[in-house]
Amino acid sequence: NITDYHFDVVADCFCDTASEMGVQEEVVKEAQEVINRVRADVTTGCTVRMELAKAKTEEEGVNQLFHRLGGLEGVSRLIEQLYQKVEADKRICMFFEGAKLQTLKSAQTEFLIMALGGPPAFNGRSLEETHSVLQMTDYHLDCFLDHMAQASRDIGVDQDTVDEVTAVLEPLRHRILAAHYERRPAADRRGPL
């Protein structure tokens, strides 16, 4: 389940730690090149599973995913389970609290129902606008997506369908984190790899 993003985080931590320890910059760059040579070996399993899930959703249609999740009732259960997880997670709960929590939860439920192949009832703000004021990063979104996968498994969804959910939601990353990518220094605006 290690994605390119996860690999990059570990590689960046290694390089940052080596630099903080006083390792010469040239040696750190050389080490980073060596680390990057094993990227495909480390991320292949996740990449293959996501490609298979994406192909299945494209072939059958996202509405079939919605039905496999149990329709409105199943997706509503999934979102209830998801919110129990995100509200308890100190890494991301700050994005899901406050007086407008019920409004947020309702809008996100409508959006996720639509995104996962249900009726297109969502008529809220764009993903870019909604998330523009938040200080969310790839790390926060990965935490959320990990909770989505775990919540899916918790309600009895099989792993292939969990992968399809991730494959449907992952392409929204650039829209959800558009403001984050714009705030980053120009040299680091490559987005998720």
Side-chain angles (χ1 to χ4, degrees):
N1 287 335
I2 298 175
T3 66
D4 279 319
Y5 173 72
H6 296 122
F7 187 90
D8 289 339
V9 168
V10 171
D12 287 348
C13 286
F14 171 82
C15 292
D16 290 347
T17 301
S19 295
E20 288 174 13
M21 293 175 62
V23 176
Q24 296 173 352
E25 185 177 337
E26 181 180 303
V27 174
V28 173
K29 286 183 180 181
E30 190 175 317
Q32 190 171 24
E33 289 175 16
V34 170
I35 292 168
N36 275 321
R37 288 184 200 140
V38 299
R39 174 187 299 274
D41 295 330
V42 174
T43 62
T44 296
C46 183
T47 302
V48 168
R49 284 190 14 249
M50 288 303 113
E51 288 301 318
L52 290 171
K54 181 179 173 187
K56 184 175 182 180
T57 302
E58 288 173 355
E59 179 183 315
E60 295 180 358
V62 73
N63 61 332
Q64 290 302 312
L65 172 60
F66 180 73
H67 291 296
R68 280 195 304 284
L69 290 170
L72 285 173
E73 183 180 318
V75 173
S76 294
R77 273 194 1 249
L78 169 60
I79 293 168
E80 280 299 318
Q81 189 72 22
L82 170 67
Y83 264 85
Q84 287 177 17
K85 293 181 179 313
V86 297
E87 289 174 10
D89 186 338
K90 289 179 172 53
R91 301 170 299 174
I92 61 173
C93 65
M94 67 288 235
F95 302 117
F96 300 92
E97 59 189 14
K100 296 183 178 180
L101 179 60
Q102 280 310 113
T103 303
L104 168 68
K105 192 174 181 180
S106 176
Q108 193 170 48
T109 298
E110 287 178 7
F111 177 81
L112 287 170
I113 286 170
M114 179 187 71
L116 296 173
F122 178 75
N123 59 5
R125 297 180 297 160
S126 70
L127 290 174
E128 295 86 350
E129 183 182 351
T130 300
H131 296 90
S132 66
V133 298
L134 303 175
Q135 297 295 316
M136 282 184 68
T137 66
D138 285 291
Y139 173 75
H140 298 117
L141 184 57
D142 284 338
C143 292
F144 179 85
L145 292 174
D146 286 344
H147 285 310
M148 176 67 85
Q150 187 58 53
S152 299
R153 287 188 290 272
D154 287 351
I155 65 165
V157 175
D158 65 274
Q159 187 59 50
D160 289 345
T161 304
V162 171
D163 291 345
E164 285 182 73
V165 169
T166 303
V168 166
L169 297 178
E170 181 61 40
L172 302 175
R173 179 179 297 271
H174 284 285
R175 293 178 54 205
I176 293 168
L177 298 176
H180 165 66
Y181 296 140
E182 286 301 312
R183 286 189 290 265
R184 292 189 338 196
D188 195 30
R189 284 195 192 157
R190 64 180 186 265
L193 298 176

